[in-house]
Amino acid sequence: MTIKLVEEKALMGQDRRRAERRLDFGHAWDYAPAPEGTDHVRLASRYDLFIDGRFEPPGAGRYFETINPATEARLAEVADADERDVDRAVAAARRAYDQVWARMAPLERGKYIYRIARVIQERARELAVVESLDGGKPIKESRDFDVPTAAAHFFYYAGWADKLRYAFPGHAVRPLGVAGQVIPWNFPLLMAAWKIAPALACGNTVVLKPAETTPLTALLLAEIIQEADLPPGVVNIITGAGKTGAALVGHPGVDKVAFTGSTAVGKHIQRALAGTGKRMTMELGGKAANIVFADAPIDQAVEGVISGIFFNQGHVCCAGSRLLLEEGVHDTFVRKLRDRMATLRVGDPLDKNTDVGAINSKMQLEKIRELVASGEEEGAERFSAPCELPERGYFFAPTIFTGVAQSHRIAREEIFGPVLSVLTFRTDAEAVEKANNTFYGLSAGVWSNKGARLFKMASQLEAGVVWGNTYNKFDPSSPFGGYKESGFGREGGRQGLAAYLVVE
Ligand code: NAP
Ligand code: MG
């Protein structure tokens, strides 16, 4: 990485203006452009459905485009699966379940899963670039987090495949059958790994549907699954929009539904499936609070808050989108936040120095703009990072609102963008009450130099994950999931196995 102190007179255009703004904020450093190479990536112009171990065209012959949200350029054409295609995929998964996968010795199943993990590692650079191209996330995120964590999930669950009876001592366990899995666009490869790895380890077969705007890494994963020589039909990957997802979860041949996405769609699926007896796990939306006490290590907390909401454009279900500051530290903290925001690099997702990439779609950008406008109308004070946004593509400057009331929409609704709402509190009890004052309950962060306070807060916060003096840390061995309208069931860890087993 090249870092250089740029002399003002040597700067031109955008770099010069950016440097001037940085100097206003007391920063003189800038980075030279460092684009990730793309020569090693070969995208096909068209992708078919992965059913029964082969790529097959959709029955109706329909395709849709997936674009690069940073440039609005078309990347490839992807099959649009209809109900008959879903039916073929579920039938293939059922055959593979009955004839091969559920009967296979667990140790052998583990070897296949292990092989998937190894091939992901081998193709890591390609996967990272495609993830950033298709979804808009910064390459440093896809390269350093998404892809290695996806491989880590396959490694982790490969290890469990032949040890399931030790996971639930004293109980007999057996697989559920065919899992229908639907995932969102914010962590396309990682969400596929979260869903497929435990399902396979437990002896289930899978039909997975990625999101319409980010299907490409799931299709590369299909190639990897072919390369790992998995028996045909054990994993099937079908692309399409919401209708394809609805056909999959509603298919009578599906025994278990695993859904990650918005609370609205999650509720719709629960209503549609009520009474069918299908097993379900739901990983839904969030409105996490990051709670900072005056005794916290302030500079670390600023960094944690920044990364918790702005990295990955706030496209994170557990993003710390509400910041609760103890009153005495408010002014200092907000000043430091603004200073740090001025140094965030917004732009080309493929640049290795980019912190904030492209918003995933035009629709999502419009949703963010609408909610930000509501924050201004309702009387909160807006500050957006002084950055120049690229002319093409979908971008939004990191933004904070101060003077936010709990009743404001920006404090209640999931924005799913780089927008932070700042509130204050005076006592621990008030912090807990405000943090829990939401329909959601996915995650929270607490910053304090007192360990006892961290543990006490963690026990009172209604959130599936509570981070102490850090934020957004993940590991395949620790379970993740929500309370309240953030969903039910856990993914990751030993608990993640329970979602794919009958435990007797
Ligand atoms: P979404 O609109 O609910 O879509 C999620 C997935 O469901 C997509 O594949 C979507 O297809 C599909 N879908 C849409 N309508 C459907 C229906 N009626 N039946 C079955 N499937 C349907 O959510 P999103 O906007 O893509 O993702 C953002 C949301 O996901 C946020 O709320 C975020 O908090 C949540 N999320 C939660 C977690 C977690 O672990 N709790 C993790 C990541 C994201 P199309 O994309 O093609 O429409
Ligand atoms: Mg795309």
Side-chain angles (χ1 to χ4, degrees):
M1 181 162 61
T2 23
I3 303 175
K4 57 182 184 182
L5 178 60
V6 190
E7 286 180 25
E8 201 189 340
K9 64 178 181 211
L11 289 169
M12 301 292 288
Q14 182 186 3
D15 280 352
R16 182 192 177 113
R17 289 192 293 278
R18 184 184 280 157
E20 280 167 0
R21 273 194 304 273
R22 276 155 197 261
L23 287 168
D24 288 346
F25 281 84
H27 302 287
W29 293 87
D30 209 342
Y31 293 90
E36 171 72 46
T38 55
D39 298 349
H40 59 294
V41 175
R42 299 265 174 279
L43 283 177
S45 60
R46 171 181 274 196
Y47 286 89
D48 285 320
L49 303 169
F50 184 62
I51 297 177
D52 214 9
R54 289 186 304 274
F55 284 92
E56 295 183 359
R62 277 197 307 269
Y63 292 82
F64 61 93
E65 281 185 352
T66 184
I67 64 158
N68 175 350
T71 60
E72 299 173 55
R74 167 196 154 120
L75 291 170
E77 199 175 62
V78 177
D80 187 3
D82 66 10
E83 284 175 8
R84 280 171 306 158
D85 300 315
V86 170
D87 202 44
R88 274 193 297 146
V90 174
R94 174 63 55 192
R95 272 195 308 278
Y97 178 78
D98 288 339
Q99 296 171 12
V100 187
W101 198 245
R103 294 181 180 191
M104 189 182 282
L107 181 65
E108 296 305 312
R109 285 204 301 255
K111 288 181 193 168
Y112 283 104
I113 304 168
Y114 185 77
R115 219 182 281 163
I116 298 173
R118 291 297 305 272
V119 187
I120 290 178
Q121 287 187 320
E122 280 166 25
R123 293 180 64 172
R125 278 190 64 218
E126 176 193 359
L127 287 164
V129 168
V130 175
E131 199 72 306
S132 287
L133 284 173
D134 202 14
K137 70 170 61 194
I139 188 73
K140 68 178 175 190
E141 291 274 321
S142 33
R143 181 197 61 198
D144 298 347
F145 178 69
D146 294 59
V147 176
T149 316
H153 267 80
F154 280 103
F155 277 121
Y156 176 78
Y157 281 111
W160 271 118
D162 62 339
K163 303 175 193 69
L164 295 176
R165 62 197 170 102
Y166 302 106
F168 304 95
H171 294 272
V173 295
R174 58 188 161 84
L176 298 172
V178 175
Q181 308 180 323
V182 178
I183 56 173
W185 43 258
N186 57 343
F187 291 91
L189 180 71
L190 182 57
M191 287 297 122
W194 275 30
K195 298 255 176 299
I196 295 174
L200 297 188
C202 294
N204 304 277
T205 57
V206 165
V207 181
L208 175 104
K209 189 201 90 71
E212 191 183 354
T213 56
T214 54
L216 294 180
T217 46
L219 292 162
L220 295 188
L221 184 61
E223 290 177 7
I224 288 170
I225 282 164
Q226 261 186 337
E227 209 176 321
D229 212 17
L230 243 74
V234 171
V235 175
N236 306 273
I237 296 180
I238 53 168
T239 44
K243 257 176 73 184
T244 309
L248 174 58
V249 299
H251 193 288
V254 164
D255 302 295
K256 144 91 190 182
V257 169
F259 175 77
T260 297
S262 59
T263 293
V265 174
K267 283 184 181 178
H268 175 81
I269 294 175
Q270 288 173 62
R271 277 194 295 271
L273 299 192
T276 62
K278 284 182 192 176
R279 288 268 298 266
M280 274 189 264
T281 39
M282 293 277 152
E283 301 280 2
L284 309 175
K287 191 73 189 172
N290 234 326
I291 304 167
V292 181
F293 287 93
D295 64 5
I298 295 300
D299 290 332
Q300 282 104 307
V302 168
E303 206 50 40
V305 169
I306 289 274
S307 68
I309 184 66
F310 297 133
F311 290 7
N312 213 17
Q313 305 75 250
H315 292 343
V316 185
C317 49
C318 45
S321 55
R322 289 181 299 155
L323 173 61
L324 303 189
L325 292 176
E326 191 168 356
E327 231 172 57
V329 83
H330 175 272
D331 294 353
T332 312
F333 203 92
V334 169
R335 180 176 50 75
K336 283 177 180 263
L337 264 185
R338 288 178 173 217
D339 281 357
R340 179 67 179 93
M341 283 167 72
T343 69
L344 287 173
R345 297 193 55 103
V346 185
D348 180 7
L350 285 184
D351 191 311
K352 291 169 200 153
N353 296 321
T354 293
D355 300 306
V356 184
I359 301 301
N360 184 263
S361 66
K362 194 167 180 211
M363 215 173 86
Q364 186 58 26
L365 181 61
E366 277 160 12
K367 184 183 155 198
I368 296 168
R369 285 184 177 149
E370 192 272 320
L371 271 156
V372 164
S374 85
E376 289 181 302
E377 276 158 30
E378 289 188 307
E381 191 184 328
R382 171 180 176 176
F383 170 80
S384 289
C387 56
E388 193 162 316
L389 302 180
E391 274 163 26
R392 281 194 76 79
Y394 314 132
F395 290 90
F396 196 86
T399 294
I400 57 173
F401 278 102
T402 48
V404 177
Q406 292 188 84
S407 57
H408 289 167
R409 284 181 65 205
I410 51 169
R412 291 185 291 117
E413 295 179 30
E414 186 181 41
I415 301 175
F416 224 58
V419 182
L420 178 67
S421 299
V422 184
L423 298 101
T424 57
F425 66 90
R426 288 184 181 171
T427 63
D428 295 32
E430 189 187 350
V432 170
E433 198 177 309
K434 283 188 167 165
N436 287 345
N437 184 15
T438 165
F439 292 120
Y440 295 112
L442 196 54
S443 58
V446 186
W447 300 80
S448 166
N449 74 357
K450 293 191 182 59
R453 178 181 256 161
L454 297 180
F455 282 108
K456 188 166 171 229
M457 293 292 290
S459 69
Q460 295 176 352
L461 290 167
E462 294 164 351
V465 184
V466 181
W467 286 287
N469 289 336
T470 186
Y471 206 80
N472 268 352
K473 290 285 177 287
F474 288 90
D475 186 276
S477 64
S478 60
F480 181 85
Y483 279 44
K484 302 195 280 188
E485 293 195 11
S486 290
F488 49 84
R490 294 292 177 262
E491 293 188 310
R494 189 175 61 82
Q495 292 81 349
L497 296 167
Y500 288 97
L501 289 170
V502 178
V503 181
E504 285 166 342

